[in-house]
Amino acid sequence: MSTTTPETPTKLQLLELLAAIGSAQWRDFAAAAAHHGLTSMQGKVLAQLDSPKPMRALATLLVCDASNVTGIVDRLEARGLVRREPDATDRRVKNVVVTDEGREVILRVREEMQATHGALDTLGAEDSATLYALLERLRPGMEKRA
Protein backbone atom coordinates (compact mmCIF):
# COMPACT_ATOMS: atom_id res chain seq x y z
CA MET A 1 0.00 0.00 0.00
CA SER A 2 1.39 3.38 -0.88
CA THR A 3 2.16 6.02 1.70
CA THR A 4 -0.13 8.49 -0.03
CA THR A 5 -3.80 8.09 0.62
CA PRO A 6 -6.33 8.91 -2.06
CA GLU A 7 -9.10 11.35 -1.16
CA THR A 8 -11.59 8.49 -1.06
CA PRO A 9 -10.01 5.19 0.01
CA THR A 10 -11.27 2.01 -1.59
CA LYS A 11 -13.13 -0.60 0.44
CA LEU A 12 -10.06 -2.84 0.14
CA GLN A 13 -7.87 -0.12 1.65
CA LEU A 14 -10.37 0.38 4.47
CA LEU A 15 -10.55 -3.38 5.09
CA GLU A 16 -6.76 -3.68 5.17
CA LEU A 17 -6.52 -0.80 7.63
CA LEU A 18 -9.25 -2.22 9.88
CA ALA A 19 -7.53 -5.62 9.81
CA ALA A 20 -4.14 -4.12 10.69
CA ILE A 21 -5.60 -2.11 13.58
CA GLY A 22 -7.66 -5.08 14.79
CA SER A 23 -4.62 -7.36 14.72
CA ALA A 24 -2.45 -4.85 16.57
CA GLN A 25 -5.15 -4.31 19.20
CA TRP A 26 -5.57 -8.09 19.62
CA ARG A 27 -1.78 -8.55 20.13
CA ASP A 28 -1.81 -5.77 22.72
CA PHE A 29 -4.81 -7.35 24.47
CA ALA A 30 -3.19 -10.82 24.44
CA ALA A 31 0.04 -9.45 25.93
CA ALA A 32 -1.82 -7.61 28.70
CA ALA A 33 -3.95 -10.72 29.41
CA ALA A 34 -0.80 -12.89 29.60
CA HIS A 35 0.61 -10.47 32.18
CA HIS A 36 -2.35 -11.51 34.36
CA GLY A 37 -1.90 -15.23 33.70
CA LEU A 38 -4.70 -15.41 31.15
CA THR A 39 -4.70 -16.83 27.65
CA SER A 40 -6.06 -14.47 25.03
CA MET A 41 -9.25 -16.55 24.84
CA GLN A 42 -9.71 -16.45 28.62
CA GLY A 43 -9.35 -12.68 28.45
CA LYS A 44 -11.81 -12.54 25.59
CA VAL A 45 -14.37 -14.50 27.62
CA LEU A 46 -14.00 -12.08 30.53
CA ALA A 47 -14.35 -9.14 28.14
CA GLN A 48 -17.65 -10.55 26.81
CA LEU A 49 -19.27 -10.94 30.23
CA ASP A 50 -20.86 -7.52 30.66
CA SER A 51 -23.93 -9.59 31.59
CA PRO A 52 -24.45 -13.31 32.25
CA LYS A 53 -24.13 -15.33 29.06
CA PRO A 54 -25.04 -18.94 28.27
CA MET A 55 -22.11 -21.17 27.34
CA ARG A 56 -23.48 -21.58 23.79
CA ALA A 57 -23.69 -17.80 23.33
CA LEU A 58 -20.04 -17.50 24.39
CA ALA A 59 -19.09 -20.14 21.82
CA THR A 60 -20.86 -18.10 19.15
CA LEU A 61 -19.13 -14.87 20.22
CA LEU A 62 -15.73 -16.60 20.29
CA VAL A 63 -16.39 -18.40 17.02
CA CYS A 64 -15.44 -21.75 18.50
CA ASP A 65 -16.94 -25.06 19.54
CA ALA A 66 -18.92 -25.15 22.79
CA SER A 67 -16.56 -27.84 24.13
CA ASN A 68 -13.68 -25.35 23.89
CA VAL A 69 -15.65 -22.83 25.93
CA THR A 70 -16.18 -25.44 28.65
CA GLY A 71 -12.41 -25.77 29.16
CA ILE A 72 -11.86 -22.03 29.11
CA VAL A 73 -14.64 -21.43 31.63
CA ASP A 74 -13.39 -24.31 33.81
CA ARG A 75 -9.99 -22.60 34.12
CA LEU A 76 -11.52 -19.17 34.78
CA GLU A 77 -13.83 -20.68 37.40
CA ALA A 78 -10.90 -22.41 39.12
CA ARG A 79 -9.27 -18.98 39.51
CA GLY A 80 -12.48 -17.45 40.89
CA LEU A 81 -12.91 -15.10 37.92
CA VAL A 82 -16.29 -16.49 36.79
CA ARG A 83 -18.99 -18.76 38.12
CA ARG A 84 -21.70 -20.84 36.47
CA GLU A 85 -25.33 -20.30 37.41
CA PRO A 86 -28.46 -22.05 36.20
CA ASP A 87 -30.58 -19.91 33.90
CA ALA A 88 -33.72 -18.60 35.63
CA THR A 89 -36.00 -19.67 32.77
CA ASP A 90 -34.30 -22.93 31.72
CA ARG A 91 -32.35 -24.74 34.42
CA ARG A 92 -30.66 -26.94 31.79
CA VAL A 93 -28.82 -23.83 30.55
CA LYS A 94 -25.75 -22.66 32.48
CA ASN A 95 -24.96 -18.98 32.40
CA VAL A 96 -21.42 -17.76 32.92
CA VAL A 97 -21.23 -14.81 35.29
CA VAL A 98 -18.13 -12.72 35.92
CA THR A 99 -17.14 -12.31 39.58
CA ASP A 100 -15.93 -9.07 41.15
CA GLU A 101 -12.37 -10.41 40.88
CA GLY A 102 -12.91 -11.22 37.20
CA ARG A 103 -14.22 -7.69 36.55
CA GLU A 104 -11.14 -6.27 38.25
CA VAL A 105 -8.77 -8.43 36.20
CA ILE A 106 -10.33 -7.51 32.83
CA LEU A 107 -10.31 -3.84 33.83
CA ARG A 108 -6.57 -4.08 34.58
CA VAL A 109 -5.97 -5.89 31.28
CA ARG A 110 -7.71 -3.09 29.39
CA GLU A 111 -5.80 -0.43 31.35
CA GLU A 112 -2.47 -2.10 30.53
CA MET A 113 -2.95 -2.16 26.76
CA GLN A 114 -0.11 0.32 26.28
CA ALA A 115 0.15 0.24 22.48
CA THR A 116 -3.58 0.78 22.07
CA HIS A 117 -3.68 3.55 24.68
CA GLY A 118 -0.64 5.19 23.09
CA ALA A 119 -2.23 5.15 19.64
CA LEU A 120 -5.48 6.60 20.96
CA ASP A 121 -3.56 9.27 22.88
CA THR A 122 -2.39 10.69 19.53
CA LEU A 123 -5.95 11.75 18.78
CA GLY A 124 -7.34 15.04 19.94
CA ALA A 125 -10.82 15.39 21.42
CA GLU A 126 -12.47 16.16 18.06
CA ASP A 127 -10.76 13.24 16.29
CA SER A 128 -11.66 10.91 19.17
CA ALA A 129 -15.30 11.96 18.95
CA THR A 130 -15.29 11.50 15.16
CA LEU A 131 -13.66 8.06 15.39
CA TYR A 132 -16.14 7.01 18.06
CA ALA A 133 -19.11 8.13 15.97
CA LEU A 134 -17.79 6.32 12.89
CA LEU A 135 -17.13 3.10 14.79
CA GLU A 136 -20.59 3.27 16.35
CA ARG A 137 -22.07 3.53 12.84
CA LEU A 138 -20.08 0.47 11.69
CA ARG A 139 -20.76 -1.64 14.77
CA PRO A 140 -24.34 -2.83 14.06
CA GLY A 141 -23.43 -4.11 10.61
CA MET A 142 -20.25 -5.76 11.88
CA GLU A 143 -22.01 -7.51 14.75
CA LYS A 144 -24.83 -8.95 12.63
CA ARG A 145 -24.94 -12.73 12.61
CA ALA A 146 -25.48 -14.58 9.37
Side-chain angles (χ1 to χ4, degrees):
M1 197 161 126
S2 100
T3 56
T4 60
T5 305
E7 284 187 35
T8 303
T10 66
K11 281 186 187 176
L12 179 59
Q13 289 171 316
L14 291 170
L15 287 169
E16 287 174 351
L17 187 55
L18 281 171
I21 290 169
S23 293
Q25 187 270 343
W26 179 247
R27 284 190 306 274
D28 196 23
F29 179 85
H35 183 254
H36 291 277
L38 299 170
T39 66
S40 56
M41 290 303 279
Q42 289 170 340
K44 194 170 182 180
V45 166
L46 286 177
Q48 298 297 321
L49 292 175
D50 52 345
S51 62
K53 300 239 181 343
M55 300 279 283
R56 187 152 307 281
L58 283 173
T60 300
L61 287 168
L62 298 173
V63 192
C64 70
D65 191 77
S67 62
N68 291 344
V69 174
T70 299
I72 295 166
V73 170
D74 285 346
R75 289 183 287 283
L76 289 170
E77 193 171 36
R79 287 189 53 188
L81 303 178
V82 301
R83 67 180 180 278
R84 289 179 176 97
E85 294 180 350
D87 187 84
T89 59
D90 184 348
R91 299 193 60 80
R92 296 170 296 175
V93 174
K94 297 293 183 203
N95 288 323
V96 181
V97 180
V98 68
T99 64
D100 289 342
E101 185 178 353
R103 262 190 287 286
E104 181 60 34
V105 167
I106 196 59
L107 178 64
R108 281 185 272 150
V109 166
R110 287 178 172 143
E111 288 172 347
E112 291 173 16
M113 294 173 63
Q114 296 305 309
T116 304
H117 284 279
L120 291 172
D121 287 343
T122 67
L123 300 176
E126 186 177 331
D127 285 342
S128 290
T130 299
L131 178 60
Y132 186 86
L134 291 170
L135 293 173
E136 278 293 311
R137 281 179 40 200
L138 289 177
R139 187 178 191 168
M142 297 292 293
E143 290 182 340
K144 276 187 199 170
R145 295 286 177 228

